[in-house]
Amino acid sequence: MPVIRAILERFRSVVEGVQDLTLFTVETLRALFSRPFYLRETIHQLHFAAIGSLLIVLVSALVAGQALAIQLVRELANSGVKGQLGHFMVISVVRALGPVLVGMVVASRMSAGITAEIGAMRSSDQLDALVAFGTDPIRRLVVPRVIALVIALPALTILGDALAVIGGGWVGLQYHLPIESYYAGVFKFLTPKNLLVGMIKPFAFAVLIAIVACWKGFRSEGGAKGVGVSTTQSVVIASVGILVTDGICTRLIFRLLGW
Amino acid sequence: MIEFRHVDFSIDGNAILRDVSFSVARGRTTVILGPSGSGKSTILRLLLGLYHPDAGSIFVDGVDVTHINASRWREIRSRMGMVFQQGALFDSMTVGENVGYALLEANGDDEVEVAPAVRHYLELVGLDPYLIDRMPDQLSGGMQRRVAIARALAARDPMILLYDEPTTGLDPQSAERITDLIVQLRDQQGKTAIMVTHDIPDAFKVADAMTILEQGRVVFEGSPDALISVSTPFINQFLAPFRTAMGAASRRFEAATRRGAPPRTDPQRGGTP
Ligand SMILES: Nc1ncnc2c1ncn2[C@@H]1O[C@H](COP(=O)(O)OP(=O)(O)OP(=O)(O)O)[C@@H](O)[C@H]1O
Ligand SMILES: [Mg+2]
């Protein structure tokens, strides 16, 4: 019986969490479309999200692109269609791997950073101090972070996609695939539809990462230890959330496109 | 004017305040005393609308703030300046940006324009204006506390000031400067204030009225003079260290005077009492 009670208790807290997150999201959306707007904070956050994540995104995309290409090129060579590497790379990177990979890398960095920062502000009464000074903390802290990630993540995804594809071309070269035929395949299948499938997802991921991270920071309790717990939860929710969102987005988009 | 009427407040089912009533007259300073955990900071949070009472009413300048909307709250809060117990300085901003926070919010981040005001408030709390570009974590605890006081004063010139243990952790000179400042703000600018403190001498120095809490209940409300003559077990115990210290000091003084020596000898003028 205690087991069942514990499970019910856990279920209830998850439901309450979802409810609270929904309210937080609604509040954030409302704040997005009203003044004042904190431009300086937004630019600062954009710099932190975009420039700060650039190097790790580029490196991981290049390495992951190569790893994928090595797997593909062997199978393709066995079937005698090595020349299709560009085609396969662009489809798998732009439509599937790129957005998720870049989303995960950015999530691990930004979720932790945002939740820890806001959680520390919560535990040192800085959020209350903002309210006391007449500032809406959602407008001041959450909105700039959401906007920054909504701009940064798609941009980083484009760069990550490009680096992964370039990495694939390099692998092709090692397997004696001429660079021209690789890129011919790449550009032939870099169609608006394929781009659409890949580029809708980063917007959804960005909103997910930013809102969950801020929410966990706002709700963190119990000092430094509490901030640690919230930070962990924030990274986990964002990572799992990206995979789930990816699945849902892919199905939805495929249905919309009639594929 | 500030008034609490029969306020109950609990967090997660734990009663924090029970039937709390007291009032602060306009232009007066009330000191809230009480042991750790008795609910002093909670009272200030209720007053700022950071918490909402379960029962009872809170009045600020005659307005019942118990059921007002967010924009009314912003207006009420703009009349108050709060010094948080832990300082609560914005640690991503410089000292200058902290002290000028409300002014910068109002004028769209024009730091040059607010710099003179920021320097003025830093000097008022006894800090060197050159600290303006430091980050809060580069200051000592006592300096941070004073920056927090400067920030509260600089905010839109509030008529109500809430100080949560403003002198705790300060050296005696700085603490005296702060209590002098609190008295001066009342006498010269007519500010209404609530000061929470553990320091009984400080309390007697600034208080027009005193409210004492014990486990979320008001056990005394009245003038400092009235407090001296109250004798309940809790208040006796609470004031005991202070009374002992006062007694010891006055006995030393008397003894010294009897021996014909002034309490503070001045070698230049010799020992005339
Ligand atoms: N977030 C919270 N959750 C649960 N209980 C809380 C919370 N905040 C405060 N309390 C409880 O409320 C009571 C009053 O707290 P409060 O901070 O008002 O005390 P205080 O009189 O200011 O004490 P101190 O002198 O130590 O600052 C304490 O018993 C504390 O345990
Ligand atoms: Mg307190």
Side-chain angles (χ1 to χ4, degrees):
Chain A
M1 284 307 109
V3 179
I4 293 178
R5 188 169 312 152
I7 292 171
L8 282 178
E9 193 55 36
R10 179 97 195 110
F11 180 72
R12 204 181 60 118
S13 82
V14 168
V15 169
E16 277 173 4
V18 170
Q19 219 172 18
D20 191 39
L21 176 59
T22 310
L23 287 178
F24 190 82
T25 308
V26 170
E27 255 183 275
T28 304
L29 290 179
R30 202 179 294 159
L32 258 174
F33 299 105
S34 59
R35 295 178 57 80
F37 175 65
Y38 293 93
L39 182 63
R40 238 171 52 153
E41 176 84 1
T42 309
I43 292 172
H44 181 77
Q45 290 301 325
L46 182 58
H47 184 268
F48 179 61
I51 310 298
S53 314
L54 191 58
L55 190 64
I56 50 168
V57 164
L58 295 184
V59 171
S60 2
L62 188 64
V63 174
Q66 290 183 22
L68 177 65
I70 291 171
Q71 307 272 4
L72 285 177
V73 79
R74 214 184 97 86
E75 297 304 313
L76 294 173
N78 283 345
S79 322
V81 284
K82 201 167 65 178
Q84 293 289 315
L85 182 64
H87 170 195
F88 277 70
M89 276 302 286
V90 84
I91 297 292
S92 37
V93 166
V94 170
R95 291 215 313 229
L97 175 71
V100 173
L101 175 79
V102 175
M104 290 291 224
V105 168
V106 172
S108 66
R109 184 170 171 276
M110 296 301 292
S111 299
I114 292 173
T115 307
E117 185 187 7
I118 296 183
M121 291 182 75
R122 155 106 278 154
S123 68
S124 58
D125 287 341
Q126 291 178 54
L127 297 188
D128 289 335
L130 283 176
V131 175
F133 281 99
T135 302
D136 177 358
I138 293 206
R139 220 165 267 165
R140 170 111 202 173
L141 300 173
V142 184
V143 169
R145 283 164 176 77
V146 172
I147 292 177
L149 266 176
V150 164
I151 296 172
L153 192 54
L156 288 168
T157 302
I158 291 175
L159 291 175
D161 286 354
L163 260 271
V165 169
I166 290 170
W170 197 32
V171 169
L173 266 183
Q174 288 167 347
Y175 284 79
H176 311 292
L177 175 69
I179 204 87
E180 303 80 42
S181 81
Y182 178 78
Y183 282 105
V186 167
F187 286 110
K188 186 164 170 222
F189 289 93
L190 199 61
T191 58
K193 269 191 182 175
N194 284 334
L195 272 176
L196 176 76
V197 175
M199 289 311 297
I200 284 183
K201 292 188 269 191
F203 289 97
F205 297 165
V207 173
L208 173 84
I209 297 171
I211 291 192
V212 167
C214 291
W215 172 65
K216 274 291 160 193
F218 269 69
R219 298 291 184 265
S220 88
E221 255 172 28
K225 188 159 172 262
V227 174
V229 172
S230 315
T231 304
T232 310
Q233 291 175 341
S234 159
V235 175
V236 171
I237 296 175
S239 313
V240 176
I242 283 176
L243 296 178
V244 173
T245 313
D246 182 50
I248 296 173
C249 274
T250 306
R251 276 170 188 281
L252 273 179
I253 297 167
F254 270 51
R255 186 162 301 170
L256 278 178
L257 293 175
W259 283 357
Chain B
M1 201 236 8
I2 295 166
E3 189 179 353
F4 274 57
R5 269 189 216 161
H6 307 294
V7 170
D8 287 337
F9 175 69
S10 55
I11 297 179
D12 297 333
N14 299 319
I16 311 283
L17 296 178
R18 284 171 250 198
D19 194 24
V20 166
S21 299
F22 71 95
S23 60
V24 185
R26 187 186 298 276
R28 296 277 146 175
T29 300
T30 283
V31 169
I32 300 181
L33 285 163
S36 198
S38 54
K40 306 182 296 295
S41 301
T42 305
I43 286 185
L44 300 186
R45 289 171 166 275
L46 282 161
L47 205 44
L48 279 167
L50 297 171
Y51 290 156
H52 301 284
D54 301 334
S57 323
I58 300 171
F59 292 83
V60 177
D61 292 335
V63 178
D64 184 348
V65 297
T66 325
H67 298 292
I68 58 176
N69 63 21
S71 69
R72 281 289 272 141
W73 258 122
R74 254 197 302 286
E75 196 271 314
I76 297 277
R77 283 186 195 119
S78 72
R79 302 180 206 169
M80 302 194 248
M82 167 81 174
V83 180
F84 283 84
Q85 189 166 0
Q86 315 294 343
L89 295 179
F90 303 125
D91 50 21
S92 61
M93 303 180 196
T94 63
V95 166
E97 287 164 346
N98 265 284
V99 174
Y101 182 81
L103 302 171
L104 289 168
E105 281 269 287
N107 82 352
D109 282 343
D110 185 348
E111 287 181 27
V112 178
E113 191 187 309
V114 306
V118 169
R119 284 203 200 88
H120 164 74
Y121 285 105
L122 284 177
E123 275 169 7
L124 203 59
V125 295
L127 287 173
D128 221 310
Y130 80 82
L131 295 172
I132 198 163
D133 289 322
R134 293 269 195 98
M135 298 306 284
D137 61 6
Q138 297 172 316
L139 304 182
S140 74
M143 289 160 113
Q144 291 180 12
R145 184 63 55 88
R146 285 184 278 167
V147 173
I149 295 170
R151 180 177 70 175
L153 297 176
R156 294 160 294 187
D157 199 22
M159 281 314 286
I160 300 171
L161 288 163
L162 310 174
Y163 309 95
D164 199 345
E165 307 199 16
T167 58
T168 306
L170 294 188
D171 61 276
Q173 280 81 21
S174 308
E176 184 168 356
R177 183 170 191 134
I178 296 304
T179 47
D180 284 346
L181 180 63
I182 292 172
V183 170
Q184 186 192 330
L185 286 167
R186 176 195 64 198
D187 292 346
Q188 294 175 5
Q189 301 182 25
K191 309 268 191 202
T192 308
I194 297 182
M195 174 167 118
V196 168
T197 185
H198 285 290
D199 189 297
I200 296 170
D202 276 359
F204 277 97
K205 188 172 154 195
V206 306
D208 297 306
M210 290 187 170
T211 299
I212 300 189
L213 289 180
E214 184 198 7
Q215 291 182 16
R217 291 180 195 279
V218 174
V219 292
F220 173 84
E221 189 194 356
S223 70
D225 291 339
L227 178 65
I228 298 289
S229 52
V230 172
S231 167
T232 68
F234 174 76
I235 286 177
N236 282 340
Q237 197 192 354
F238 190 73
L239 293 182
F242 175 61
R243 284 180 173 146
T244 317
M246 289 291 283
S250 67
R251 274 194 303 279
R252 257 203 308 281
F253 184 88
E254 279 162 23
T257 340
R258 259 198 311 278
R259 279 202 308 273
R264 245 191 247 139
T265 36
D266 184 351
Q268 290 294 303
R269 283 190 294 159
T272 32

